[in-house]
């Protein structure tokens, strides 16, 4: 009788390869997830930097609540004695109340206006190159309130045109406002006071 040698069956190596494959997949997934998290972190950081690097815009001027009684100040470039400079933490005001800029019931600038306006324009460009500028027109108390309001607006507009054409001030920085006869610079009961009230005040908004 022939002798048959029965050898034990060798365990299949398929399980070993399966485990190796799973290990490789796990390693690949680990590195992919790690790389994705790093990219998201970079994006988040970049977005944060971009958000914080946006310029902080100054508040818009509240042209209806300018304090024209601000304290007097001195600028060395303003030497004309007829120009009064006042300022606070928000505005600088160039007042021309001592000068006769307009004839009675007129909105055309008088010849003596150039000297004062040149100094004011130079000061504006030196100290407030990016400021918003408000030009406020005044009128004396002769005539109706509506007429004087319109006249004051036309006077402010005349100064705005001068600043654009001769003062090198950008048009989009200047706004026009009318005070009419409501806030006189001097007494309207005499001729000298009425002359001073035919004027303008130029306000530079510093935005602080």
């Amino acid at each position: 009788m022939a002798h048959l040698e029965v050898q034990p069956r060798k365990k299949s190596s398929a399980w070993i390869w399966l485990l190796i494959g799973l290990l490789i997949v796990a390693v690949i997934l680990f590195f992919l997830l790690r790389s994705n998290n790093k990219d998201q972190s970079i994006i988040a950081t970049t977005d944060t930097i971009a958000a914080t690097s946006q310029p902080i815009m100054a508040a818009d001027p509240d042209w209806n609540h300018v304090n024209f009684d601000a304290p007097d100040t001195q600028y060395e470039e303003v030497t004309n004695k007829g120009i009064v400079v006042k300022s606070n933490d928000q505005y600088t005001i160039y007042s021309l109340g001592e000068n006769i800029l307009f004839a009675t019931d007129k909105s055309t600038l008088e010849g003596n206006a150039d000297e004062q306006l040149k100094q004011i324009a130079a000061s504006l460009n030196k100290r407030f190159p990016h400021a918003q500028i408000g030009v406020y027109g005044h009128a004396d108390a002769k005539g109706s309130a509506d007429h004087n309001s319109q006249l004051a607006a036309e006077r402010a507009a005349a100064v705005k045109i001068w600043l654009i054409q001769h003062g090198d001030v950008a048009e989009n920085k200047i706004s026009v406002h009318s005070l009419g006869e409501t806030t006189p610079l001097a007494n309207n009961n005499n001729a000298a006071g009425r002359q001073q009230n035919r004027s303008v005040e130029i306000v530079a908004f510093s935005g602080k």
Side-chain angles (χ1 to χ4, degrees), residues 134-202:
V135 182
Y136 289 78
H138 292 271
D140 61 35
K142 284 188 170 293
S144 69
D146 288 343
H147 172 76
N148 289 332
S149 178
Q150 179 62 33
L151 182 60
E154 292 172 0
R155 288 171 172 168
V159 172
K160 174 181 177 177
I161 292 170
W162 192 100
L163 291 173
I164 295 167
Q165 294 180 347
H166 307 289
D168 198 28
V169 180
E171 179 177 1
N172 61 1
K173 290 167 52 178
I174 309 175
S175 57
V176 169
H177 311 271
S178 174
L179 295 173
E181 62 185 58
T182 61
T183 55
L185 300 173
N187 192 338
N188 270 308
N189 293 326
N190 57 69
R194 289 192 293 271
Q195 285 179 339
Q196 292 182 36
N197 290 332
R198 298 194 291 270
S199 189
V200 297
E201 291 184 280
I202 299 170

Side-chain angles (χ1 to χ4, degrees), residues 40-78:
Q40 289 180 351
S41 175
I42 293 172
I43 292 171
T45 302
T46 303
D47 289 344
T48 301
I49 293 172
T52 56
S53 64
Q54 293 296 320
I56 299 173
M57 301 301 291
D60 290 333
D62 185 358
W63 296 120
N64 293 321
H65 295 90
V66 174
N67 178 17
F68 288 99
D69 294 323
D72 289 354
T73 189
Q74 298 291 325
Y75 291 160
E76 67 272 9
E77 69 273 13
V78 180

Side-chain angles (χ1 to χ4, degrees), residues 64-165:
N64 293 321
H65 295 90
V66 174
N67 178 17
F68 288 99
D69 294 323
D72 289 354
T73 189
Q74 298 291 325
Y75 291 160
E76 67 272 9
E77 69 273 13
V78 180
T79 59
N80 188 287
K81 300 301 182 182
I83 302 171
V84 177
V85 183
K86 298 174 284 187
S87 67
N88 57 25
D89 61 348
Q90 288 188 309
Y91 301 97
T92 290
I93 304 165
Y94 300 84
S95 177
L96 294 163
E98 298 298 322
N99 296 279
I100 307 170
L101 298 187
F102 303 96
T104 303
D105 205 31
K106 300 294 183 182
S107 59
T108 303
L109 286 167
E110 297 280 89
N112 66 335
D114 281 356
E115 180 185 351
Q116 289 82 16
L117 291 177
K118 284 177 182 177
Q119 287 198 6
I120 292 174
S123 183
L124 289 173
N125 290 323
K126 175 183 178 179
R127 296 179 183 272
F128 310 103
H130 306 296
Q132 293 295 310
I133 309 298
V135 182
Y136 289 78
H138 292 271
D140 61 35
K142 284 188 170 293
S144 69
D146 288 343
H147 172 76
N148 289 332
S149 178
Q150 179 62 33
L151 182 60
E154 292 172 0
R155 288 171 172 168
V159 172
K160 174 181 177 177
I161 292 170
W162 192 100
L163 291 173
I164 295 167
Q165 294 180 347

